[in-house]
Amino acid sequence: MKVAKFGGSSVADANQFRKVKNIINSDSDRQVVVVSAAGKSSAEPVKVTDMLIKVEDALKQGIDYQPIFGHISARILKIRDDLNLDVNIEQDLDEIKSNLNECSHDYLVSRGEYLTAKLMANYLGYHFVDAKDIMIFDEDNFDYQESAVRLNSIYEKYQQIVVPGFYGANLDGSIHLMPRGGSDISGSILAKLLDANLYENWTDVSGILMADPRIVDHSKKIDVLTYDELQELTYMGFGVFQEEAVRPVREKQIPTKILNTNHPEEGGTLVVDSADKRLDDQFITGIAGKKNYTVITIKKYQLNKHIEVLQKVLAVLQKFHISINYVPSGNDSFSFLFQQADISNKLESIVLKLKNTCGLDSVEVNQDIALVAAVSLELSKRPAIAGKILDYLDNSLINVRLVIQEGSDIKVVFGVSNEDYEKTIAKIYREAMFRGYRKISA
Ligand SMILES: Nc1ncnc2c1ncn2[C@@H]1O[C@H](COP(=O)(O)OP(=O)(O)O)[C@@H](O)[C@H]1O
Ligand SMILES: N[C@@H](CC(=O)OP(=O)(O)O)C(=O)O
């Protein structure tokens, strides 16, 4: 049995629905279908999810929400009518509308998936299963036991189901929204719960490319990669697969494929447990990154011998409840990297507190830093390759502010200014492709 997840671009209009149906009908193993909300298309520049967020903003600001809600309704009705579906989706739209004034954010923003899945179930002749009945959360944690019980009782009756992605329910029945891109997580969890033999993630690119196609034209496709590599790449911002979607399939070692709804014949990327299953001799598997980090560097002579100072620093950071992304260190210094959005309104207070209470020699702040990571299983065998990339970036006049090669030994991270972000990715890609780095074993 296969779980097939279709992203927003794959269900953006009636024509995309037709492609989905062809894919489903071409393999009877595709029994569990997960859909996102209708996404962007050439005619529709805004995802339904983002339109729902606009409805919420309008409600909050007391502005007329009707035009946006009307647009969403028209999109949904058009798909229904273009496909001649016999489903009373007006009733669902009316119910959502009547709930608007007292509903939660999670309920409202998840309605795109709910409506799209209802249409898809009708179109495929599959049974619609509301995610709130089978994807159960106990506070922030997914409750696998409870969800398995509920899913199995439904799956015993109906073997061909469509489930909306991106949300589930809390134990009290209220809607629980997942992070953006969360339908990937829904699909991965369902594949794990049902012990699927394949998780297919259908999108608008023919697999995962070595670098973001919006930055590097004709970037090479990665044919096979490991869960470890995918985890590192998604953590660093590989847009094509949600970072939290790796764990469920990885835990059960369910092979995962990234495929193109518009070109199923082109094959895609296969994610597997072991590097032995990789055939190519590519040294660097992929390059990914994110902009907008803030770095706080604290310095004190022989800091590594003054654990009590470090304890004080950590206590200050803990008080402000912000997640730290990386902590590169030297003998006399420690740097803390944060996502700018998490820290920006607290930065001044944090720096003041660090300066006044921790007995440091200095506290420096660097903002607008982008992190670019090169991921390669070979880095653990040849860590010196990181130095070669660094030389190359230096020769290309890219000012590398920091290098992090710690923790996972399959990744090296370069910190550059936001402005150099795209150039750094393009340069590393060039270096990886044309300098002839190849795996030692190949
Ligand atoms: N390394 C990469 N390989 C492939 N696609 C990438 C990569 N990095 C970013 N992307 C972007 O991810 C997009 C697909 O992800 P997403 O927008 O979530 O699709 P969907 O609507 O199918 O969920 C692609 O259109 C592409 O622009
Ligand atoms: N619709 C949600 C969830 C999702 O997974 O979407 P997509 O498959 O289009 O990335 C979002 O936009 O975040």
Side-chain angles (χ1 to χ4, degrees):
M1 187 275 290
K2 296 174 184 167
V3 172
K5 178 259 169 176
F6 292 88
S9 52
S10 305
V11 291
D13 56 29
N15 205 27
Q16 293 302 92
F17 266 60
R18 290 189 188 100
K19 293 178 189 169
V20 171
K21 191 171 191 170
N22 283 338
I23 290 166
I24 296 300
N25 287 348
S26 67
D27 183 346
S28 58
D29 277 353
R30 293 182 176 127
Q31 292 175 351
V32 176
V33 175
V34 178
V35 293
S36 294
K40 290 184 196 175
S41 69
S42 49
E44 293 286 351
V46 184
K47 287 174 152 198
V48 165
T49 305
D50 291 308
M51 290 190 203
L52 288 163
I53 293 171
K54 284 189 181 166
V55 169
E56 188 181 40
D57 290 345
L59 281 162
K60 275 189 200 150
Q61 293 164 23
I63 304 170
D64 184 11
Y65 68 84
Q66 306 268 10
I68 318 166
F69 194 81
H71 191 125
I72 297 171
S73 304
R75 267 191 86 170
I76 296 294
L77 289 168
K78 182 163 169 40
I79 297 176
R80 196 260 322 256
D81 295 339
D82 285 353
L83 297 170
N84 291 319
L85 303 180
D86 180 21
V87 50
N88 186 357
I89 208 80
E90 286 93 342
Q91 197 180 329
D92 292 295
L93 289 163
D94 286 346
E95 191 183 324
I96 296 168
K97 200 168 174 182
S98 68
N99 287 334
L100 282 181
N101 282 317
E102 71 267 15
C103 71
S104 69
H105 166 84
D106 288 14
Y107 168 85
L108 177 53
V109 177
S110 64
R111 293 308 87 191
E113 269 68 13
Y114 173 85
L115 294 164
T116 308
K118 275 217 147 169
L119 295 179
M120 186 60 81
N122 187 280
Y123 185 46
L124 297 178
Y126 277 26
H127 184 71
F128 170 78
V129 179
D130 193 341
K132 81 171 169 42
D133 298 326
I134 55 165
M135 306 289 282
I136 307 304
F137 287 82
D138 188 353
E139 304 204 337
D140 278 342
N141 299 316
F142 188 76
D143 188 336
Y144 278 94
Q145 246 177 337
E146 182 61 28
S147 302
V149 172
R150 297 198 193 187
L151 173 62
N152 288 337
S153 75
I154 288 178
Y155 200 63
E156 268 166 22
K157 266 204 253 167
Y158 310 98
Q159 270 85 46
Q160 295 179 318
I161 58 175
V162 175
V163 184
F166 192 37
Y167 74 96
N170 299 305
L171 289 166
D172 66 4
S174 58
I175 297 294
H176 181 114
L177 199 66
M178 297 181 196
R180 290 306 300 264
S183 301
D184 291 346
I185 310 173
S186 307
S188 176
I189 290 176
L190 282 166
K192 178 179 169 181
L193 286 171
L194 292 165
D195 208 1
N197 45 35
L198 186 67
Y199 173 38
E200 293 179 336
N201 197 288
W202 292 88
T203 179
D204 63 351
V205 269
S206 297
I208 299 180
L209 306 171
M210 265 183 73
D212 188 331
R214 292 162 296 189
I215 298 174
V216 176
D217 267 349
H218 308 298
S219 165
K220 185 174 180 283
K221 185 175 90 183
I222 306 172
D223 291 320
V224 182
L225 82 169
T226 64
Y227 299 118
D228 282 348
E229 291 169 302
L230 181 62
Q231 186 73 74
E232 293 294 353
L233 288 165
T234 55
Y235 178 70
M236 283 307 299
F238 242 34
V240 68
F241 200 69
Q242 221 285 349
E243 105 189 49
E244 291 177 37
V246 183
R247 197 162 140 195
V249 278
R250 174 196 205 149
E251 278 169 356
K252 271 232 167 143
Q253 305 205 340
I254 294 166
T256 297
K257 267 189 180 171
I258 316 292
L259 295 151
N260 192 343
T261 302
N262 306 318
H263 295 286
E265 73 289 353
E266 287 183 0
T269 295
L270 175 65
V271 188
V272 291
D273 54 329
S274 156
D276 300 343
K277 295 178 183 154
R278 289 184 42 182
L279 297 174
D280 63 293
D281 65 349
Q282 198 66 47
F283 179 77
I284 288 176
T285 312
I287 305 145
K290 276 190 198 164
K291 284 184 178 176
N292 297 327
Y293 285 87
T294 293
V295 186
I296 299 182
T297 302
I298 55 162
K299 288 190 181 155
K300 184 172 175 71
Y301 179 59
Q302 292 197 327
L303 182 58
N304 55 341
K305 293 191 182 147
H306 291 283
I307 305 290
E308 74 288 353
V309 173
L310 213 49
Q311 261 172 345
K312 282 186 193 162
V313 169
L314 291 174
V316 169
L317 298 177
Q318 193 184 16
K319 258 199 192 134
F320 285 89
H321 301 290
I322 26 169
S323 5
I324 305 171
N325 291 84
Y326 290 98
V327 191
S329 65
N331 282 348
D332 301 331
S333 71
F334 268 74
S335 293
F336 299 91
L337 274 77
F338 308 92
Q339 285 191 9
Q340 216 137 294
D342 292 346
I343 196 174
S344 56
N345 57 353
K346 305 169 183 168
L347 185 60
E348 221 173 295
S349 321
I350 292 175
V351 171
L352 207 66
K353 198 111 190 140
L354 289 174
K355 280 186 174 161
N356 291 343
T357 62
C358 300
L360 297 162
D361 295 342
S362 69
V363 180
E364 272 170 33
V365 177
N366 272 296
Q367 286 180 284
D368 302 321
I369 297 291
L371 296 183
V372 176
V375 170
S376 160
L377 291 176
E378 298 290 298
L379 268 170
S380 58
K381 294 181 215 152
R382 294 164 70 193
I385 213 86
K388 289 195 181 177
I389 301 175
L390 187 58
D391 275 350
Y392 181 65
L393 293 177
D394 199 41
N395 289 335
S396 309
L397 300 179
I398 293 175
N399 179 12
V400 177
R401 315 274 193 92
L402 67 137
V403 180
I404 310 168
Q405 200 172 6
E406 59 179 25
S408 136
D409 54 6
I410 63 166
K411 175 176 76 177
V412 53
V413 182
F414 302 98
V416 296
S417 72
N418 273 348
E419 283 148 39
D420 282 338
Y421 173 72
E422 285 84 5
K423 189 173 165 195
T424 305
I425 291 189
K427 289 284 178 192
I428 299 178
Y429 178 77
R430 232 189 109 71
E431 179 75 344
M433 292 306 294
F434 304 117
R435 286 289 181 110
Y437 295 159
R438 292 290 177 259
K439 292 198 300 197
I440 287 177
S441 49

